[in-house]
PDB file of all heavy atoms in Angstrom:
ATOM      1  N   GLY O  17       3.021   8.293  15.886  1.00 32.00           N
ATOM      2  CA  GLY O  17       2.566   6.991  16.366  1.00 32.00           C
ATOM      3  C   GLY O  17       3.681   6.271  17.108  1.00 32.00           C
ATOM      4  O   GLY O  17       3.484   5.672  18.146  1.00 32.00           O
ATOM      5  N   ALA O  18       4.884   6.391  16.595  1.00 32.00           N
ATOM      6  CA  ALA O  18       6.015   5.710  17.225  1.00 32.00           C
ATOM      7  C   ALA O  18       6.303   6.292  18.597  1.00 32.00           C
ATOM      8  O   ALA O  18       6.637   5.581  19.533  1.00 32.00           O
ATOM      9  CB  ALA O  18       7.253   5.831  16.339  1.00 32.00           C
ATOM     10  N   GLY O  19       6.156   7.597  18.710  1.00 30.00           N
ATOM     11  CA  GLY O  19       6.383   8.235  19.994  1.00 30.00           C
ATOM     12  C   GLY O  19       5.404   7.731  21.035  1.00 30.00           C
ATOM     13  O   GLY O  19       5.782   7.389  22.159  1.00 30.00           O
ATOM     14  N   ALA O  20       4.166   7.641  20.651  1.00 30.00           N
ATOM     15  CA  ALA O  20       3.133   7.132  21.550  1.00 30.00           C
ATOM     16  C   ALA O  20       3.456   5.695  21.942  1.00 30.00           C
ATOM     17  O   ALA O  20       3.273   5.285  23.080  1.00 30.00           O
ATOM     18  CB  ALA O  20       1.775   7.201  20.857  1.00 30.00           C
ATOM     19  N   LEU O  21       3.990   4.970  20.994  1.00 31.00           N
ATOM     20  CA  LEU O  21       4.327   3.583  21.235  1.00 31.00           C
ATOM     21  C   LEU O  21       5.401   3.480  22.314  1.00 31.00           C
ATOM     22  O   LEU O  21       5.355   2.611  23.164  1.00 31.00           O
ATOM     23  CB  LEU O  21       4.830   2.981  19.924  1.00 31.00           C
ATOM     24  CG  LEU O  21       5.474   1.607  19.974  1.00 31.00           C
ATOM     25  CD1 LEU O  21       4.465   0.599  20.459  1.00 31.00           C
ATOM     26  CD2 LEU O  21       5.964   1.238  18.592  1.00 31.00           C
ATOM     27  N   ALA O  22       6.349   4.411  22.281  1.00 30.00           N
ATOM     28  CA  ALA O  22       7.415   4.384  23.273  1.00 30.00           C
ATOM     29  C   ALA O  22       6.819   4.517  24.667  1.00 30.00           C
ATOM     30  O   ALA O  22       7.235   3.837  25.599  1.00 30.00           O
ATOM     31  CB  ALA O  22       8.397   5.509  23.009  1.00 30.00           C
ATOM     32  N   ALA O  23       5.828   5.369  24.788  1.00 29.00           N
ATOM     33  CA  ALA O  23       5.193   5.562  26.087  1.00 29.00           C
ATOM     34  C   ALA O  23       4.546   4.261  26.551  1.00 29.00           C
ATOM     35  O   ALA O  23       4.626   3.890  27.718  1.00 29.00           O
ATOM     36  CB  ALA O  23       4.150   6.669  25.988  1.00 29.00           C
ATOM     37  N   VAL O  24       3.953   3.555  25.623  1.00 29.00           N
ATOM     38  CA  VAL O  24       3.302   2.296  25.987  1.00 29.00           C
ATOM     39  C   VAL O  24       4.348   1.261  26.384  1.00 29.00           C
ATOM     40  O   VAL O  24       4.282   0.635  27.429  1.00 29.00           O
ATOM     41  CB  VAL O  24       2.467   1.757  24.802  1.00 29.00           C
ATOM     42  CG1 VAL O  24       1.940   0.375  25.116  1.00 29.00           C
ATOM     43  CG2 VAL O  24       1.332   2.706  24.496  1.00 29.00           C
ATOM     44  N   GLY O  25       5.368   1.139  25.543  1.00 30.00           N
ATOM     45  CA  GLY O  25       6.354   0.089  25.755  1.00 30.00           C
ATOM     46  C   GLY O  25       7.197   0.333  26.998  1.00 30.00           C
ATOM     47  O   GLY O  25       7.682  -0.602  27.613  1.00 30.00           O
ATOM     48  N   GLY O  26       7.382   1.559  27.397  1.00 30.00           N
ATOM     49  CA  GLY O  26       8.299   1.849  28.491  1.00 30.00           C
ATOM     50  C   GLY O  26       7.576   2.130  29.794  1.00 30.00           C
ATOM     51  O   GLY O  26       8.103   2.796  30.673  1.00 30.00           O
ATOM     52  N   CYS O  27       6.374   1.622  29.977  1.00 32.00           N
ATOM     53  CA  CYS O  27       5.576   2.068  31.112  1.00 32.00           C
ATOM     54  C   CYS O  27       5.936   1.376  32.422  1.00 32.00           C
ATOM     55  O   CYS O  27       5.686   1.912  33.483  1.00 32.00           O
ATOM     56  CB  CYS O  27       4.079   1.917  30.825  1.00 32.00           C
ATOM     57  SG  CYS O  27       3.610   0.210  30.485  1.00 32.00           S
ATOM     58  N   ASP O  28       6.582   0.182  32.378  1.00 33.00           N
ATOM     59  CA  ASP O  28       6.765  -0.480  33.674  1.00 33.00           C
ATOM     60  C   ASP O  28       7.864   0.140  34.532  1.00 33.00           C
ATOM     61  O   ASP O  28       7.729   0.216  35.729  1.00 33.00           O
ATOM     62  CB  ASP O  28       6.941  -1.997  33.566  1.00 33.00           C
ATOM     63  CG  ASP O  28       7.332  -2.494  32.205  1.00 33.00           C
ATOM     64  OD1 ASP O  28       7.487  -1.660  31.289  1.00 33.00           O
ATOM     65  OD2 ASP O  28       7.502  -3.692  32.040  1.00 33.00           O
ATOM     66  N   SER O  29       8.944   0.578  33.930  1.00 34.00           N
ATOM     67  CA  SER O  29       9.940   1.255  34.758  1.00 34.00           C
ATOM     68  C   SER O  29      10.837   2.124  33.901  1.00 34.00           C
ATOM     69  O   SER O  29      10.901   1.957  32.698  1.00 34.00           O
ATOM     70  CB  SER O  29      10.793   0.244  35.533  1.00 34.00           C
ATOM     71  OG  SER O  29      11.897  -0.150  34.739  1.00 34.00           O
ATOM     72  N   ASP O  30      11.564   3.002  34.538  1.00 35.00           N
ATOM     73  CA  ASP O  30      12.421   3.920  33.807  1.00 35.00           C
ATOM     74  C   ASP O  30      13.605   3.203  33.172  1.00 35.00           C
ATOM     75  O   ASP O  30      14.200   3.697  32.229  1.00 35.00           O
ATOM     76  CB  ASP O  30      12.943   5.014  34.744  1.00 35.00           C
ATOM     77  CG  ASP O  30      11.863   6.034  35.043  1.00 35.00           C
ATOM     78  OD1 ASP O  30      10.907   6.103  34.218  1.00 35.00           O
ATOM     79  OD2 ASP O  30      11.962   6.720  36.045  1.00 35.00           O
ATOM     80  N   THR O  31      13.971   2.070  33.724  1.00 36.00           N
ATOM     81  CA  THR O  31      15.148   1.385  33.212  1.00 36.00           C
ATOM     82  C   THR O  31      14.838   0.572  31.960  1.00 36.00           C
ATOM     83  O   THR O  31      15.736   0.168  31.252  1.00 36.00           O
ATOM     84  CB  THR O  31      15.738   0.441  34.268  1.00 36.00           C
ATOM     85  OG1 THR O  31      14.710  -0.449  34.704  1.00 36.00           O
ATOM     86  CG2 THR O  31      16.286   1.209  35.454  1.00 36.00           C
ATOM     87  N   THR O  32      13.552   0.333  31.724  1.00 35.00           N
ATOM     88  CA  THR O  32      13.201  -0.382  30.502  1.00 35.00           C
ATOM     89  C   THR O  32      13.534   0.499  29.304  1.00 35.00           C
ATOM     90  O   THR O  32      13.060   1.620  29.229  1.00 35.00           O
ATOM     91  CB  THR O  32      11.692  -0.688  30.455  1.00 35.00           C
ATOM     92  OG1 THR O  32      11.331  -1.291  31.682  1.00 35.00           O
ATOM     93  CG2 THR O  32      11.358  -1.606  29.305  1.00 35.00           C
ATOM     94  N   PRO O  33      14.394   0.021  28.410  1.00 34.00           N
ATOM     95  CA  PRO O  33      14.681   0.863  27.252  1.00 34.00           C
ATOM     96  C   PRO O  33      13.408   1.069  26.446  1.00 34.00           C
ATOM     97  O   PRO O  33      12.613   0.140  26.299  1.00 34.00           O
ATOM     98  CB  PRO O  33      15.711   0.060  26.465  1.00 34.00           C
ATOM     99  CG  PRO O  33      15.737  -1.309  27.057  1.00 34.00           C
ATOM    100  CD  PRO O  33      14.999  -1.295  28.346  1.00 34.00           C
ATOM    101  N   THR O  34      13.236   2.266  25.989  1.00 34.00           N
ATOM    102  CA  THR O  34      12.030   2.521  25.216  1.00 34.00           C
ATOM    103  C   THR O  34      12.169   1.889  23.836  1.00 34.00           C
ATOM    104  O   THR O  34      13.252   1.862  23.254  1.00 34.00           O
ATOM    105  CB  THR O  34      11.784   4.029  25.059  1.00 34.00           C
ATOM    106  OG1 THR O  34      12.966   4.599  24.515  1.00 34.00           O
ATOM    107  CG2 THR O  34      11.456   4.674  26.379  1.00 34.00           C
ATOM    108  N   THR O  35      11.054   1.413  23.352  1.00 35.00           N
ATOM    109  CA  THR O  35      11.045   0.736  22.071  1.00 35.00           C
ATOM    110  C   THR O  35      11.430   1.679  20.941  1.00 35.00           C
ATOM    111  O   THR O  35      11.961   1.266  19.937  1.00 35.00           O
ATOM    112  CB  THR O  35       9.636   0.191  21.779  1.00 35.00           C
ATOM    113  OG1 THR O  35       9.067  -0.210  23.021  1.00 35.00           O
ATOM    114  CG2 THR O  35       9.694  -0.980  20.826  1.00 35.00           C
TER     115      THR O  35
END
Side-chain angles (χ1 to χ4, degrees):
L21 169 62
V24 173
C27 60
D28 19 0
S29 88
D30 284 339
T31 55
T32 310
T34 54
T35 325

